[in-house]
């Protein structure tokens, strides 16, 4: 069983299209989206439309939840977010806002007798950051009852074994923070009783196109520049 975990698309339709094309070449059996379809990027409606058309199961991310609330409920009140949040709320179609509102916050599925829990931030909070070596991750994995926990939100891919349990963060499709502009996602390979394998993919995409689109819409320069540098 080969599972692709994608997340943090953040209104970047060009990155999403490139990642889905890459997934098509990887003999993937199941795709799971861990949320944050919107925020930062200029194509929230197009991203949601593609996810819905492909019938990809999806969680609600913290930015999705804040857009639904039209408030800084789960995101930081920064100069960039003070522009992006109202812009996205205004841009998003009512049907797509309803779609985001109805997304679950977590999902637990079983593949090859392995129980996998998918979350956006953590099992505790939608906006908690879980890095592979952080104290918070160790705390959560100590009490985690499944076999594999897959999280997102940090925009940084990574994984770590905790005894017989596995923690994975799948990175970010639409706003990677690797110091490179490439989109990232995770492939989880589960074959019977063998130890699950994790592979992180970096996918080049036409990041200059999203930067040009954002410039035409007068998005903040610091936000635009981050797509080329692969930083916040």
């Amino acid at each position: 069983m080969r599972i692709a975990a994608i997340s943090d698309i953040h209104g970047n339709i060009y990155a999403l299209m490139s990642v889905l094309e890459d997934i098509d070449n990887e003999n993937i059996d199941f795709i799971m989206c861990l949320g944050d379809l919107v925020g930062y990027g200029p194509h929230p409606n197009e991203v949601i439309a593609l996810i819905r058309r492909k019938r990809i199961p999806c969680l609600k991310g913290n930015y999705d939840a804040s857009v639904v609330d039209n408030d800084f409920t789960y995101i930081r009140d920064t100069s960039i977010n003070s522009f992006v949040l109202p812009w996205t709320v205004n841009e998003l179609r009512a049907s797509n806002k309803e779609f985001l509102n109805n997304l679950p916050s977590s999902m637990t599925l079983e593949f090859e007798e392995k129980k996998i829990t998918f979350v956006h931030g953590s099992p505790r909070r939608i906006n908690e950051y879980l890095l592979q070596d952080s104290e918070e991750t160790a705390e959560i994995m100590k009490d985690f009852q499944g076999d594999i926990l897959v999280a997102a939100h940090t925009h940084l891919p990574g994984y770590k074994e905790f005894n017989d349990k596995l923690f994975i963060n799948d990175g970010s499709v639409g706003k990677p923070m690797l110091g490179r502009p490439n989109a990232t996602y995770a492939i989880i390979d589960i074959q019977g009783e063998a130890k699950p394998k994790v592979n992180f993919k970096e996918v080049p995409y036409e990041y200059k196109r999203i930067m040009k689109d954002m410039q035409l819409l007068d998005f903040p320069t610091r936000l635009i520049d981050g797509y080329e540098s692969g930083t916040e």
Side-chain angles (χ1 to χ4, degrees):
M1 187 74 180
R2 287 169 60 79
I3 302 160
I6 65 174
S7 73
D8 297 279
I9 301 159
H10 287 297
N12 188 340
I13 189 63
Y14 307 123
L16 177 59
M17 290 189 298
S18 294
V19 163
L20 291 179
E21 185 177 338
D22 191 78
I23 286 172
D24 282 343
N25 296 324
E26 285 286 351
N27 298 315
I28 296 298
D29 301 297
F30 182 79
I31 305 173
M32 183 72 198
C33 177
L34 278 63
D36 269 4
L37 302 181
V38 304
Y40 302 125
H43 305 114
N45 291 305
E46 293 86 344
V47 164
I48 293 173
L50 184 53
I51 290 290
R52 296 179 76 173
R53 189 162 67 248
K54 294 284 189 179
R55 299 180 183 275
I56 297 172
C58 193
L59 304 180
K60 183 189 293 183
N62 65 300
Y63 221 116
D64 302 328
S66 288
V67 166
V68 169
D69 291 348
N70 190 16
D71 202 352
F72 295 94
T73 326
Y74 302 102
I75 61 174
R76 293 172 293 166
D77 187 352
T78 64
S79 59
I80 285 177
N81 285 337
S82 68
F83 173 90
V84 172
L85 178 62
W87 187 93
T88 306
V89 169
N90 184 64
E91 181 75 7
L92 201 62
R93 297 189 188 103
S95 60
N96 285 334
K97 190 177 291 184
E98 183 179 359
F99 172 77
L100 293 180
N101 189 38
N102 290 324
L103 292 175
S105 59
S106 67
M107 195 176 295
T108 299
L109 302 170
E110 191 168 306
F111 301 97
E112 302 271 349
E113 298 186 2
K114 294 282 192 301
K115 189 178 288 186
I116 307 179
T117 295
F118 300 93
V119 296
H120 180 74
S122 82
R124 300 188 294 205
R125 293 194 305 276
I126 196 172
N127 60 347
E128 182 172 20
Y129 291 92
L130 294 186
L131 298 165
Q132 63 196 53
D133 294 319
S134 69
E135 194 174 300
E136 293 83 1
T137 304
E139 287 174 5
I140 283 171
M141 293 306 293
K142 182 180 179 182
D143 298 326
F144 179 61
Q145 297 300 308
D147 298 297
I148 303 172
L149 176 64
V150 188
H153 186 49
T154 68
H155 297 203
L156 292 168
Y159 78 99
K160 188 172 183 177
E161 294 180 21
F162 291 83
N163 296 319
D164 57 343
K165 296 178 283 190
L166 180 62
F167 167 78
I168 302 168
N169 193 301
D170 69 355
S172 171
V173 169
K175 202 171 184 304
M177 291 175 59
L178 293 168
R180 299 181 292 280
N182 298 336
T184 59
Y185 74 98
I187 296 174
I188 309 160
D189 199 339
I190 304 173
Q191 302 296 335
E193 295 182 4
K195 183 183 294 186
K197 296 178 182 177
V198 184
N199 179 32
F200 296 108
K201 295 294 299 287
E202 280 194 45
V203 182
Y205 75 96
E206 297 179 272
Y207 65 87
K208 293 284 189 181
R209 288 184 69 185
I210 193 171
M211 292 175 72
K212 184 176 181 180
D213 291 352
M214 294 168 79
Q215 287 164 355
L216 292 171
L217 293 165
D218 291 324
F219 274 55
T221 301
R222 189 162 67 89
L223 174 60
I224 296 170
D225 291 345
Y227 285 85
E228 184 167 24
S229 63
T231 61
E232 189 173 10

